Amino acid sequence: MSEQLRVGMVGYAFMGAAHSQAWRTVNHAFDLPLSARMSVVCGRDENAVAAAATKLGWESHATDWRAVIARDDVDLIDICTPGDTHAEIAIAALAAGKHVFCEKPLANSVAEAREMAAAAAVAQTHGVRVMCGFNYRRVPAVALMRRMVEAGRIGTIRHVRATYLQDWIIDPEFPLVWRLRKEVAGSGALGDIGAHIIDMTQFVTGQSITSVTALTETFIKSRPLPSASSGLSASGDGSARGDVTVDDAALFLARLDGGAVATYEATRFATGRKNGLRVELNGSLGSIAFDFERMNELEFYDGTRPTAEQGFARILVTEPDHPYMAAWWPPGHLIGYEHSFTHEVRDLIEAIGTGQDPTPSFADALQVQLVLDAVSRSAETSLWTEVDPVLQPV
Ligand SMILES: NC(=O)c1ccc[n+]([C@@H]2O[C@H](COP(=O)([O-])OP(=O)(O)OC[C@H]3O[C@@H](n4cnc5c(N)ncnc54)[C@H](O)[C@@H]3O)[C@@H](O)[C@H]2O)c1
């Protein structure tokens, strides 16, 4: 029996369920230096968190995250709560010497993200590890996309085209859930789903966004207050309304440091699009595209082939030599959304067990936060806006 990594998870709704699935599965799918143990799940409501512990497979439950951090039998804190809580929980956990796995976006502001990255840098000198949960990096087709770009298969990248399209708030009577309140969520479509395509495009291209010009829009300015604010599924009673204080949609152009130009669109008003995450790269030798709604596939255009044979090819990313796929099924047997989280915790456990820093680090996630901030500033001024550096001038 290998040594254990004892996990305490805070928050048990959407991401809590996805992370629980990952922690439950990872020991059985991968050979790892440490065995994940689901020690304790934490929430604010005693009955609800007790029920979640049973349903999701946790050994115990708690109602105070500070008490979870104080426990000697917890090695890692997994943060699955809204953005307004990330900094406080993560910094307290790091100070107590716990590894931290924190959902994206890292924080609600650059100031918080800088504090978190600084706390992580100090903790790292004592062997404490951190990771931010940009799970789409761990979709095998996305990891393969990066591998093909690194191998030069599409040459010099000229264009990056990224969209993340949802439609879950097109009904003006959909209630004012936490994702629509700036003080809890930080921003709207921008930080929630725009952050994913920022991280993903920088990951697959190996290039960083240096400047942006942006617009944001809030189509529905006020909504019914929810009867119980519990994420996507809350329902309003219609009697009282509150202001929407975040963007419904964010669009921006960007320049990347490797010379590519890019377009980004993140919206919750793309009627009919449920989780339409698409990234296309056009390079000097070819093109490559990923669409999450066909997440086991990549489209690849190899411009070096004879003209008579050219055309977009569909790569089915289910071969054992594709990233992560050796752990799963025979070729052609597909995997799903939840596997991206299992792959995330697989990489996290591997890094902790072998004494390395996992990625994306808090510094990487701070850089995404700096892009989000530049987009927000540009949307206010309508000017091209530089992305501030991760390292501040001394
Ligand atoms: N990686 C992804 O694809 C992805 C998808 C959705 C959400 N997220 C991120 O995950 C985080 C959580 O989002 P979600 O969709 O799971 O939200 P959710 O509303 O479904 O769940 C939030 C959970 O946090 C709990 N919570 C809230 N405040 C708390 C507090 N002060 N102390 C203890 N528990 C508290 C709630 O009770 C609930 O269990 C956010 O940062 C979000 O951006 C990431």
Side-chain angles (χ1 to χ4, degrees), residues 68-253:
V68 173
I69 288 173
R71 277 173 59 158
D72 289 336
D73 64 344
V74 169
D75 306 307
L76 178 141
I77 300 296
D78 180 3
I79 304 172
C80 294
T81 50
D84 62 332
T85 61
H86 291 185
E88 193 181 17
I89 299 173
I91 291 168
L94 291 169
K98 311 293 183 187
H99 308 296
V100 175
F101 176 30
C102 182
E103 259 307 334
K104 52 49 65 182
L106 185 62
N108 279 1
S109 68
V110 166
E112 285 175 347
R114 283 204 185 282
E115 278 184 53
M116 294 169 78
V122 172
Q124 278 163 348
T125 64
H126 307 294
V128 173
R129 312 288 169 191
V130 301
M131 181 167 141
C132 186
F134 284 108
N135 59 302
Y136 290 108
R137 286 182 176 212
R138 266 79 189 198
V139 172
V142 175
L144 177 64
M145 196 174 189
R146 175 183 162 106
R147 197 164 90 183
M148 291 172 71
V149 169
E150 273 178 344
R153 298 304 306 276
I154 62 166
T156 304
I157 298 173
R158 313 276 197 224
H159 282 286
V160 175
R161 210 166 289 111
T163 51
Y164 200 154
L165 312 177
Q166 299 184 339
D167 74 350
W168 56 275
I169 55 171
I170 52 171
D171 178 357
E173 296 308 304
F174 187 89
L176 190 72
V177 295
W178 70 259
R179 278 183 163 78
L180 306 180
R181 291 167 46 216
K182 186 175 168 64
E183 73 277 18
V184 188
S187 66
L190 175 61
D192 190 18
I193 52 180
H196 275 302
I197 46 176
I198 292 167
D199 179 72
M200 216 180 117
T201 50
Q202 295 190 133
F203 173 72
V204 294
T205 61
Q207 299 186 29
S208 299
I209 296 171
T210 54
S211 60
V212 297
T213 183
L215 70 80
T216 56
E217 184 58 65
T218 303
F219 300 111
I220 307 295
K221 314 281 189 212
S222 81
R223 289 177 178 274
L225 296 179
S227 46
S229 188
S230 60
L232 301 183
S233 58
S235 61
D237 63 13
S239 56
R241 299 180 76 85
D243 290 341
V244 174
T245 47
V246 299
D247 58 284
D248 287 333
L251 291 78
F252 61 100
L253 304 180

